């Protein structure tokens, strides 16, 4: 009996040991999975960002990112606007601080580029050169660190360096393979005096915009829709009063029909944001641009051109140059945003900010070749002071027309899609810098939002969005051209 009792006691002790060990194992796994710290994520196989900081030195700006482990990277620079791009494997950013600028870095942002790549973008205040880029492995009790040293550069140095990426593979330096980025063309010399000719041949449209369609019929602004007696007049929409009456908008071309240039954002080697559904921003913007062109041409009231009609990479400044070459009366750039939150969604409309406008005016006034800088006026024969004044006046008038159109567009689009808070915003987007073309940039929605991403990939939703933009364009030209006839 005593022997049986002893064996039973030992069995009970063994069972208890198994239960205790099992409880400890499950508790450890739960702590590993649920802990928000970078060490837990690193243990699960995903490198994590521990800290990010920016240091400003007399001769350089240093960007440092502390990591849970050493990782490979690839660094290269892009123009228009100037920025430094760093590609990493997928990283966890739960512990990283908010973006903040300093030195020659005005700010930074990050996001998933594809299923294996996380992309970090540093916005630069001007031409920039990568002095050094390297990873310090963990040592002396410190985390691994990615270090990037940047310094200001001349435009020529930037052009030479931007196709020369830095990077590592397996911890060893390599020459990364990147698609070539087209360099900006040299500034053209002053135009020679025209050669008299009895019948000059017609100038063909630029090959990159074959969609321009001219129709020789008189422009007839659409009749405004009937409004209830209590509804606000067209000068006040969505509770936003317009600025004082503007000077009349004069069509830039010889045709009686306004020319609308539609810019589908990104393209080619630049896919833009990647939707949570896997679709690229460049495909969505091109699809909406084609539908908008179709609807505008169907009205018979406009000529329309696209900056790109296929999957082609076009520099930002070249998009503006094409719009000016087409003598555009309105420029609409289409994009789709993306952020880390999946809950934020909605459409927004951007016009050029005052700060960016002042900077652009200074650049125009400083150019040696100022022929036809604004509205067909040859500023080359004017003094610097007179040229600066004329450019500023033209820009202010253009910005006021842009803001009027943005307000009209917001009023129409709120009937079609959700809008972000303060949907009319301003920024220094390069595609908005034409000094004599009213221009807006429309962020169609957030591809990081499942609702927006799903809708923007649907043809019916794209048609609704295009109809809203067409109504905004109709209202803009009804008011702007009506002012010139009153």
């Amino acid at each position: 009996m005593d022997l049986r009792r002893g064996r039973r006691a030992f069995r009970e002790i063994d069972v208890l040991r198994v239960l205790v060990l099992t409880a400890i194992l499950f508790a450890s796994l739960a702590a590993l999975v649920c802990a928000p710290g970078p060490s837990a994520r690193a243990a699960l196989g995903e490198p994590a960002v521990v800290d990010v900081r920016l240091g400003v030195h007399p001769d350089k700006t240093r960007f440092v990112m502390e990591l849970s482990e050493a990782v490979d990277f690839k660094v290269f620079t892009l123009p228009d606007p100037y920025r430094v791009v760093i590609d990493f494997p997928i990283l966890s950013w739960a512990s990283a601080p908010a973006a903040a600028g300093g030195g020659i870095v005005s700010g930074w942002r990050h996001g998933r580029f594809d299923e294996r790549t996380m992309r970090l973008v540093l916005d630069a205040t001007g031409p920039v050169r990568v002095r050094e880029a390297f990873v310090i492995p963990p040592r002396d009790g410190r985390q691994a660190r990615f270090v990037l040293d940047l310094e200001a550069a001349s435009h020529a140095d930037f052009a030479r360096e931007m196709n020369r990426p830095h990077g590592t593979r397996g911890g060893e330096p390599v020459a990364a393979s990147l698609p070539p980025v087209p360099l900006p063309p040299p500034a053209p010399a002053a135009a020679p005096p025209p050669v008299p000719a009895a019948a000059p041949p017609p100038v063909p449209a630029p090959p990159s915009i074959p969609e321009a369609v001219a129709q020789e019929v008189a422009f007839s602004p659409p009749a405004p829709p009937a409004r209830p007696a209590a509804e606000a007049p067209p000068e006040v929409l969505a509770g936003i009063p317009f600025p004082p009456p503007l000077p009349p908008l004069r069509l830039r071309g010889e045709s009686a029909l306004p020319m609308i240039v539609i810019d589908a954002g990104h393209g080619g080697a630049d896919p833009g944001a990647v939707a949570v559904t896997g679709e690229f921003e460049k495909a969505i913007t091109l699809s909406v641009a084609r539908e908008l062109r179709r609807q505008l041409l169907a009205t018979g009231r406009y000529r329309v051109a696209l900056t790109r009609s296929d999957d082609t990479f076009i520099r930002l400044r070249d998009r503006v140059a094409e719009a000016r070459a087409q003598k555009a009366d309105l420029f609409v750039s289409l994009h789709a945003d993306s952020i880390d939150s999946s809950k934020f969604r909605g459409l927004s409309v951007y016009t050029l900010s005052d700060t960016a406008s002042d900077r652009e005016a200074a650049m125009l006034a400083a150019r040696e070749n100022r022929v036809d800088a604004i509205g067909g006026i040859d500023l080359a024969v004017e003094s610097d002071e007179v040229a600066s004044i004329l450019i500023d006046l033209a820009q202010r008038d253009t910005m006021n027309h842009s803001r009027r159109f943005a307000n009209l567009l917001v009023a129409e689009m709120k009937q079609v899609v959700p809008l972000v808070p303060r949907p009319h915003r301003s920024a220094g987007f390069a595609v908005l810098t034409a000094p004599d073309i009213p221009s807006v940039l429309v962020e169609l929605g957030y591809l990081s939002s499942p609702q927006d991403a799903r809708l923007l990939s649907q043809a019916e939703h794209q048609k609704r969005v295009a109809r809203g933009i067409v109504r905004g364009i109709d209202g803009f030209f009804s008011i702007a051209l009506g002012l010139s006839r009153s």
Side-chain angles (χ1 to χ4, degrees):
M1 292 294 292
D2 292 338
L3 182 60
R4 284 198 296 271
R5 288 196 192 97
R7 289 176 177 173
R8 187 182 304 113
F10 276 115
R11 283 199 298 270
E12 290 174 353
I13 291 172
D14 289 340
V15 171
L16 183 60
R17 284 176 179 172
V18 171
L19 291 175
V20 171
L21 290 174
T22 303
I24 293 173
L25 178 61
F26 275 105
S28 300
L29 288 175
L32 184 62
V33 173
C34 299
S39 59
R41 286 186 296 272
L44 291 175
E46 184 178 274
V49 178
V50 179
D51 189 25
V52 177
R53 56 186 179 270
L54 200 63
V56 180
H57 304 268
D59 60 337
K60 66 185 178 184
T61 298
R62 168 165 283 189
F63 179 84
V64 179
M65 191 163 67
E66 291 195 14
L67 303 164
S68 62
E69 62 183 79
V71 297
D72 288 329
F73 68 90
K74 181 171 63 179
V75 182
F76 56 98
T77 54
L78 291 174
D80 288 340
Y82 295 108
R83 56 203 187 277
V84 181
V85 180
I86 311 104
D87 283 346
F88 295 100
I90 298 299
L91 301 174
S92 171
W93 283 75
S95 302
I104 59 176
V105 175
S106 60
W108 54 270
R109 58 196 184 277
H110 65 87
R112 184 184 290 262
F113 181 69
D114 57 35
E115 62 182 10
R116 294 185 298 177
T117 307
M118 193 282 298
R119 173 160 289 184
L120 173 69
V121 180
L122 306 182
D123 296 311
T125 58
V128 64
R129 191 177 78 85
V130 177
R131 178 191 283 190
E132 284 189 288
F134 53 92
V135 169
I136 303 174
R139 66 187 181 198
D140 301 328
R142 301 189 63 180
Q143 301 274 4
R145 281 163 288 163
F146 167 75
V147 180
L148 176 67
D149 286 342
L150 303 173
E151 61 185 8
S154 67
H155 293 277
D157 287 342
F158 178 87
R160 281 193 297 269
E161 292 287 332
M162 72 176 178
N163 284 330
R164 194 175 302 166
H166 307 256
T168 62
R169 183 178 296 118
E172 297 298 324
V174 297
S177 175
L178 291 174
V181 179
L183 300 180
V195 179
V203 180
S208 59
I209 307 183
E211 295 80 14
V213 179
Q215 302 182 35
E216 296 301 328
V217 296
F219 174 75
S220 176
R227 299 177 180 272
E231 190 174 349
E235 287 73 20
V236 182
L237 292 173
I240 305 174
F242 283 123
L246 301 176
L249 180 69
R250 293 179 175 85
L251 300 184
R252 290 163 50 86
E254 297 179 359
S255 173
L257 298 180
M259 167 61 82
I260 315 296
V261 172
I262 306 167
D263 173 47
H266 306 281
D270 176 18
V274 181
V276 293
T277 57
E279 194 165 2
F280 289 145
E281 178 183 358
K282 65 178 183 179
I284 291 174
T285 58
L286 181 59
S287 183
V288 176
R290 287 170 171 167
E291 176 60 25
L292 178 56
R293 177 189 63 181
R294 186 191 67 79
Q295 292 191 23
L296 284 169
L297 290 176
T299 68
R301 293 189 289 264
Y302 307 102
R303 296 173 297 138
V304 185
L306 300 182
T307 56
R308 67 179 182 95
S309 58
D310 53 19
D311 188 14
T312 303
F313 174 81
I314 303 175
R315 294 175 64 251
L316 298 177
R317 294 283 176 170
D318 289 344
R319 297 168 188 259
V320 179
E322 292 289 0
R324 301 196 74 224
Q326 290 289 333
K327 297 187 181 298
D329 299 298
L330 185 64
F331 181 84
V332 180
S333 186
L334 302 176
H335 287 259
D337 214 335
S338 179
I339 58 174
D340 289 337
S341 172
S342 62
K343 297 180 180 178
F344 197 79
R345 60 178 304 212
L347 179 144
S348 55
V349 181
Y350 283 85
T351 52
L352 188 65
S353 66
D354 290 326
T355 302
S357 172
D358 293 340
R359 185 171 61 248
E360 189 71 15
M363 291 173 60
L364 283 171
R367 288 177 186 164
E368 293 181 3
N369 179 21
R370 298 188 298 210
V371 177
D372 195 25
I374 55 169
I377 301 175
D378 183 359
L379 298 181
V381 300
E382 305 292 349
S383 66
D384 290 345
E385 293 79 7
V386 172
S388 296
I389 292 172
L390 291 175
I391 290 172
D392 184 68
L393 289 174
Q395 275 196 318
R396 296 300 153 187
D397 182 44
T398 299
M399 289 176 67
N400 285 335
H401 281 296
S402 299
R403 288 165 180 161
R404 179 189 288 278
F405 174 53
N407 285 336
L408 282 163
L409 196 53
V410 165
E412 292 293 346
M413 296 310 296
K414 74 175 183 178
Q415 311 296 331
V416 180
V417 295
L419 305 181
V420 301
R422 299 183 302 105
H424 178 193
R425 304 180 173 197
S426 62
F429 292 117
V431 292
L432 301 179
T433 55
D436 47 1
I437 304 174
S439 306
V440 300
L441 185 146
V442 181
E443 292 282 6
L444 299 167
Y446 282 82
L447 299 182
S448 48
S449 161
Q451 298 100 315
D452 279 1
R454 186 172 59 255
L455 285 172
L456 286 172
S457 64
Q458 296 174 0
E460 282 305 314
H461 182 76
Q462 293 176 2
K463 290 179 181 179
R464 287 194 297 270
V465 169
R467 279 196 295 270
I469 298 176
V470 170
R471 287 196 295 268
I473 292 173
D474 283 345
F476 173 70
F477 282 105
S478 293
I479 294 173
L481 296 182
L483 288 173
S484 67
R485 298 177 181 181
S486 61

